[in-house]
Amino acid sequence: MTQPVRPTIPRGREPQEGEAQPRPILLIEDTPSLQMVYRSVLASAGHRVSVAGTAAEGLARFQEVQPAVVLLDLMLPDRDGLELMQDMLTQRPETAVIVITANGSINKAVEAMRAGAHEFLVKPFDEQRFLGAVENASGSRVTRRRAAPEPEKVTPPMARAFLGSSEPMARIQAKIGSAARSMATVFITGESGTGKELCALAVHDNSARAAGPFIALNCGAIPQDLLESEVFGHVKGSFTGAIADKPGAAAAADNGTLFLDEICEMAPALQTKLLRFLQTSTVQPVGATRPRKVNVRIVCATNRDPLEAVRRGHFREDLYYRLYVVPIHMPPLRERGNDVIEIAETALERFSIEEGRVFDGLDPEVQALFRRHPWPGNVRQVLNVIRNVVVLNEGGMVTLDMLPDDLADSGATSRSAPAVPKPLPGAADPTLDGLIGRTLAEIEQLVIEATIERHGGSVPKAARILDVSPSTLYRKREGWTRE
């Protein structure tokens, strides 16, 4: 009789003679049928599995076999799965816990991720997703165990990407180091210019996927009718202008990281497809008849308040909870103390080399101005100011008269003129007369249309003034014309 062929997964191979037996995976699941299915899939991939049906039995097995990876159902008959996970991580912090939950308990899974879980799986999930999570967890724990003995001698690689030694940035670097080791989705927030893409790159570079591709896609810079093709790809002839097959960003990021910038600008229809992609790990290009599997980690970012976007109906709530697992907020430059001087001096040295100039540093008056300036453009604005100084001056010490006029003027004003108190809202302010009594939606429309008109009908210019994406204004105006 012909024997059935077992699936072959190289990383899950059986150990050869003389090699150490790998520690078993501990599966804690109270449903017997699911126990059997999960155990069979893991065993077919070459893993040894230890099974428990209750929290008490699971903790006893955990102490006995000391697994590197635990698969934990959060809904157990005798105890809350989250409490059990915390007990296990207290005893063995290097353990990778993959929590398993149903669709209605995503909030619980998010809570588990914040408490130290490595990854979560939402039922139902397919075999590839299941095995991929286990393999990633196994690999990352090896790295952590090797790095553990001398943590004080390890310099986080992301320190090379971020300039600044302030306490807020030290916390960010520590959070990146923890998040990078997991497969969890990272959601980066922060004002424009704070370094959200650098943060995403640091997560990728410090992860087990560092050798794979890092694909960045700005959801606010691509027309909505082309965004689906950019994310998921298309086949030749699927629409006018599709003269060849295109893989799309999700497929290009296979075995790597997909960075979705300005995620809150994504059209609602595409949000639905992104949610399905996250649940199934499959992509279906525009015009294709069959989907394909990919192995991608998602990192996303926005300069908006994502929860406010959910409240306004601009962002799907279920997608928000699926993505907002490990949040990282990039602090604005005005909250980073002396970091602005470190950034400016480093940029001055780099740009001087590029432009063939010799500068001797920042004058104390310039340093004082830099410290008190609010820097609404954050790090990007500092770099632009220093580039301007280097290009327009021959060298020497950077003084106030070398700075761009608007920055130099703000320094002179702050030294000589007393602060003028702002009037109370509505106090003798005629510009408010036409707004009182209107709804917020009406006021928003009036302000947007007036700003566009003031800038000669240019939506991109108005978007810069209002600090929103042009696609946001186009979408709002389209909605108003339909009403």
Side-chain angles (χ1 to χ4, degrees), residues 181-332:
R181 288 189 291 264
S182 84
M183 266 290 290
T185 302
V186 177
F187 202 121
I188 307 168
T189 56
E191 298 175 7
S192 295
T194 50
K196 295 188 290 296
E197 184 165 352
L198 271 180
C199 179
L201 271 167
V203 170
H204 172 76
D205 289 341
N206 289 274
S207 72
R209 296 169 169 264
F214 177 88
I215 305 297
L217 194 67
N218 189 323
C219 301
I222 301 171
Q224 295 295 345
D225 54 346
L226 295 180
L227 191 53
E228 180 180 358
S229 171
E230 291 293 329
V231 177
F232 299 117
H234 63 254
V235 298
K236 179 180 178 180
S238 56
F239 55 84
T240 303
I243 58 175
D245 290 353
K246 181 176 181 178
D254 197 12
N255 295 315
T257 302
L258 175 60
F259 174 51
L260 297 174
D261 200 5
E262 293 193 39
I263 186 71
C264 288
E265 309 303 326
M266 184 174 284
L270 192 55
Q271 291 178 30
T272 304
K273 295 183 179 181
L274 177 61
L275 181 62
R276 184 176 182 278
F277 166 60
L278 294 171
Q279 292 171 337
T280 65
S281 297
T282 62
V283 295
Q284 185 163 353
V286 178
T289 56
R290 300 178 63 182
R292 60 162 289 195
K293 287 280 186 180
V294 293
N295 182 5
V296 173
R297 188 205 188 148
I298 300 291
V299 178
C300 56
T302 182
N303 58 8
R304 309 271 172 246
D305 178 350
L307 195 54
E308 180 62 22
V310 171
R311 293 193 188 103
R312 289 175 172 267
H314 299 160
F315 201 68
R316 288 180 62 112
E317 185 175 18
D318 48 2
L319 180 59
Y320 167 80
Y321 284 115
R322 185 74 195 194
L323 293 173
Y324 202 80
V325 179
V326 180
I328 297 179
H329 180 72
M330 297 299 295

Side-chain angles (χ1 to χ4, degrees), residues 72-247:
L72 173 63
D73 191 336
L74 291 180
M75 304 299 292
L76 297 173
D78 58 333
R79 191 181 178 194
D80 180 69
L82 186 56
E83 293 178 3
L84 174 61
M85 183 194 79
Q86 291 170 334
D87 283 352
M88 291 189 295
L89 290 178
T90 299
Q91 294 180 26
R92 295 182 59 81
E94 72 274 16
T95 307
V97 179
I98 302 173
V99 299
I100 301 173
T101 185
N103 274 316
S105 305
I106 297 232
N107 290 352
K108 194 79 170 178
V110 172
E111 186 180 353
M113 293 297 300
R114 292 173 180 169
H118 175 80
E119 174 65 295
F120 73 91
L121 298 171
V122 180
K123 300 176 184 176
F125 44 81
D126 59 46
E127 181 176 325
Q128 181 177 340
R129 177 82 175 91
F130 180 56
L131 290 175
V134 171
E135 296 295 341
N136 279 310
S138 301
S140 70
R141 292 303 120 169
V142 171
T143 301
R144 177 179 286 190
R145 288 197 299 273
R146 289 174 179 169
E150 296 181 322
E152 70 280 359
K153 295 183 181 180
V154 177
T155 301
M158 75 282 295
R160 298 191 296 268
F162 289 110
L163 291 174
S165 52
S166 63
E167 181 60 28
M169 290 310 295
R171 291 196 297 268
I172 290 296
Q173 291 183 7
K175 200 164 189 178
I176 289 172
S178 298
R181 288 189 291 264
S182 84
M183 266 290 290
T185 302
V186 177
F187 202 121
I188 307 168
T189 56
E191 298 175 7
S192 295
T194 50
K196 295 188 290 296
E197 184 165 352
L198 271 180
C199 179
L201 271 167
V203 170
H204 172 76
D205 289 341
N206 289 274
S207 72
R209 296 169 169 264
F214 177 88
I215 305 297
L217 194 67
N218 189 323
C219 301
I222 301 171
Q224 295 295 345
D225 54 346
L226 295 180
L227 191 53
E228 180 180 358
S229 171
E230 291 293 329
V231 177
F232 299 117
H234 63 254
V235 298
K236 179 180 178 180
S238 56
F239 55 84
T240 303
I243 58 175
D245 290 353
K246 181 176 181 178

